[in-house]
Amino acid sequence: MTAREPAILGLDLGTTEVKAGLVSLDGRLLGLARSGYGLDVSGGHGWAEQDPGSWWSAVVGAVRALRSHDAVEIAAIGVDGHGPTLVAVDARGEATRPAITFLDARTTAETEALTAATGIRGWSLGGLPAALWVERHEPAVAAATCWYLATWEWLALRLTGIAAASLVPDEVIADPAEVAAAGISLDRLPPRAAMGTVVGGLTETAADALGLRPGTPVVGGTVDAFASYVGAGLLEPGDAYDPGGSAGGFGVYWDRPLEVAGAFVTPAPLAGRYSVGAAMAATGRALDWYRDAILGDTITTDALLAEAAATPPGADGLVFLPYLAGERSPIWDPDARGVLAGLTLGHGRGHVARAIVEASALAIRHVAAPMLAAGVRVTAMRACGGPARSPFWNGVKADVTGFPVLVPDVLETAVLGSAIVAAVGIGALPDLRSAIGAMTHVTERVEPRRELAPIYDRLFEAYLGLYPATAPVLRPLSGADR
């Protein structure tokens, strides 16, 4: 009987879908399946919630769709998820309310209170502001809650029955006394463990739902952005990545902490490195929105990109602000609105598509600018996710940002990153650095075309001017001032 190849199951709980991938110990993607879920923005102004029950249904569907797992021996399960998102659960692991996602804007007062109490700012607070909001505004929900968890911790709990807070090396931790003084019950915060620690074995119940072997080790993971850092192969200061997901973002490793306006600077998942990162709101969904909502799904993405590629750089003076769900980095305005400026009778479908593609790169250049001004150097940017399948899109990102673009062999870098962390967690590979070297590979390098720099410099200046020029006009129409 032929021995089955060992593989790691990586689960990536993204903003709009879960991806389940089987990864070999040398980094090959042996199989991938995905299943989607919705985002509820109807609860209140700035709210953005999801049903953890829908997440679990999607996880079950995606894992069971991985028919190829019959041909491999799943040695471990790695997990990651979007964040900072708060999942409040009872003692059985059932959600006590919908998850408050990272897109939710209700916790301004709680964030300010926790920053004042702990001295910790921004996303380093994780889900604590949302937990404090629940404690203040939904005391009955808080009383029914056993654990406040991140998405990857919730995944591990559903798989193992064990709650554990998974921490990256040198992660900044708020003083428990200060957290308690701010109003959060400490007994609802799970025990801490290092990222890459085995949380527990797959329970009989979860194994039966997923069609997997009970007892399979489940390894504590991290936020999807950090999993993507690992899966994209980031190792040295100056290594950068573009996740290419539905929200959009940019991150680069540096060798020391520094102050960067509008960015997050935190310890990275790789010891000795710092993540200088930024996250947008809907940059990655803009082309899908145009294809489906505006064009009525009458053209494929590939055909739309072909039309965009046939349009001159700069889209004949058309520029797009991709603020279709407000915007996070670097303007932090949940009421920001998308803008398509410069339209004439001479513009067509391809021009609009190109403007949207160029906007995804202009947004990266926008968030990278203060990082570069602070002294960060970008040696190359890994382009990840679905957009990286398009050579045209990769070229636009190189041309607009001026960064060389590297295309990884496995574009689902969060799935791969979770698998790498899990492989180290079970001892299949000796440490995270060597595992990244062994399991990540680059297939292509795209150099920026310097002759296009004047065009994109002018376009970038127009892009920077659009938001301050249009926000005062559009804000009263959005209802934000009512």
Side-chain angles (χ1 to χ4, degrees):
M1 183 176 178
T2 303
R4 294 190 293 174
E5 180 178 13
I8 308 295
L9 173 61
L11 297 176
D12 168 35
L13 192 73
T15 308
T16 59
E17 64 181 7
V18 66
K19 300 183 188 76
L22 288 169
V23 180
S24 68
L25 293 179
D26 60 1
R28 288 173 291 121
L29 186 63
L30 304 176
L32 182 73
R34 61 187 78 205
S35 183
Y37 32 77
L39 180 72
D40 182 6
V41 296
S42 65
H45 179 66
W47 290 23
E49 299 181 331
Q50 287 183 320
D51 173 20
S54 296
W55 293 345
W56 181 245
S57 296
V59 169
V60 171
V63 172
R64 285 196 166 272
L66 273 177
R67 302 295 183 189
S68 54
H69 70 66
D70 291 334
V72 301
E73 181 68 29
I74 296 178
I77 301 172
V79 295
D80 71 82
H82 58 72
T85 291
L86 179 78
V87 194
V89 300
D90 62 19
R92 298 173 301 141
E94 297 294 334
T96 55
R97 70 168 330 280
I100 301 175
T101 76
F102 67 97
L103 294 169
D104 197 286
R106 80 184 76 177
T107 61
T108 300
E110 288 74 23
T111 299
E112 292 173 352
L114 282 162
T115 297
T118 67
I120 297 175
R121 295 180 295 164
W123 280 16
S124 292
L125 288 168
L128 291 178
L132 182 55
W133 187 92
V134 172
E135 297 271 344
R136 286 178 169 181
H137 297 278
E138 298 179 344
V141 171
T145 296
C146 183
W147 302 115
Y148 291 131
L149 303 174
T151 52
W152 56 96
E153 296 160 1
W154 170 86
L155 259 176
L157 174 67
R158 286 303 301 256
L159 296 170
T160 68
I162 299 170
S166 182
L167 307 181
V168 301
D170 303 316
E171 183 166 339
V172 177
I173 303 297
D175 183 275
E178 295 170 343
V179 172
I184 296 176
S185 299
L186 294 181
D187 59 359
R188 297 186 181 116
L189 303 180
R192 300 169 184 165
M195 179 192 79
T197 301
V198 175
V199 175
L202 192 64
T203 65
E204 294 275 358
T205 300
D208 182 63
L210 300 171
L212 300 178
R213 174 176 56 85
T216 301
V218 177
V219 177
T222 188
V223 67
D224 52 3
F226 280 2
S228 282
Y229 281 14
V230 173
L234 273 62
L235 286 170
E236 304 302 334
D239 288 349
Y241 98 120
D242 155 36
S246 60
F250 175 76
V252 58
Y253 274 178
W254 203 234
D255 57 3
R256 60 189 180 276
L258 69 175
E259 291 289 329
V260 180
F264 316 110
V265 182
T266 64
L270 185 66
R273 298 286 177 260
Y274 287 85
S275 161
V276 185
M280 292 75 123
T283 302
R285 281 183 282 175
L287 191 66
D288 291 343
W289 163 82
Y290 179 55
R291 181 198 64 206
D292 298 339
I294 305 302
L295 300 179
D297 201 20
T298 58
I299 186 172
T300 66
T301 298
D302 288 345
L304 197 56
L305 288 172
E307 290 188 9
T311 303
D316 287 333
L318 205 59
V319 60
F320 177 64
L321 274 187
Y323 302 164
L324 301 179
E327 186 55 300
R328 293 185 291 161
S329 300
I331 65 171
W332 297 102
D333 181 359
D335 298 308
R337 291 294 179 263
V339 174
L340 184 62
L343 278 168
T344 71
L345 291 174
H347 288 121
R349 184 170 64 185
H351 291 90
V352 177
R354 181 164 194 124
I356 291 171
V357 170
E358 289 177 338
S360 71
L362 290 163
I364 292 172
R365 181 167 170 174
H366 194 188
V367 299
M371 301 178 190
L372 300 176
V376 172
R377 172 178 50 88
V378 174
T379 54
M381 178 176 73
R382 276 79 168 165
C384 311
R389 295 184 177 88
S390 167
F392 159 66
W393 208 327
N394 294 333
V396 167
K397 287 178 177 176
D399 294 337
V400 170
T401 65
F403 304 146
V405 168
L406 305 180
V407 183
D409 179 45
V410 176
L411 298 179
E412 305 300 346
T413 47
V415 170
L416 176 57
S418 288
I420 291 172
V421 170
V424 175
I426 62 169
L429 292 164
D431 57 72
L432 190 58
R433 173 174 281 273
S434 61
I436 292 170
M439 294 180 69
T440 65
H441 313 280
V442 169
T443 61
E444 184 182 4
R445 181 183 177 97
V446 182
E447 295 290 343
R449 293 177 290 178
R450 301 302 177 187
E451 66 272 19
L452 297 181
I455 294 174
Y456 284 125
D457 287 347
R458 290 192 298 271
L459 192 67
F460 185 56
E461 288 304 312
Y463 180 90
L464 291 180
L466 267 183
Y467 170 70
T470 59
V473 177
L474 297 176
R475 190 175 303 278
L477 303 180
S478 71
D481 291 340
R482 293 179 197 155

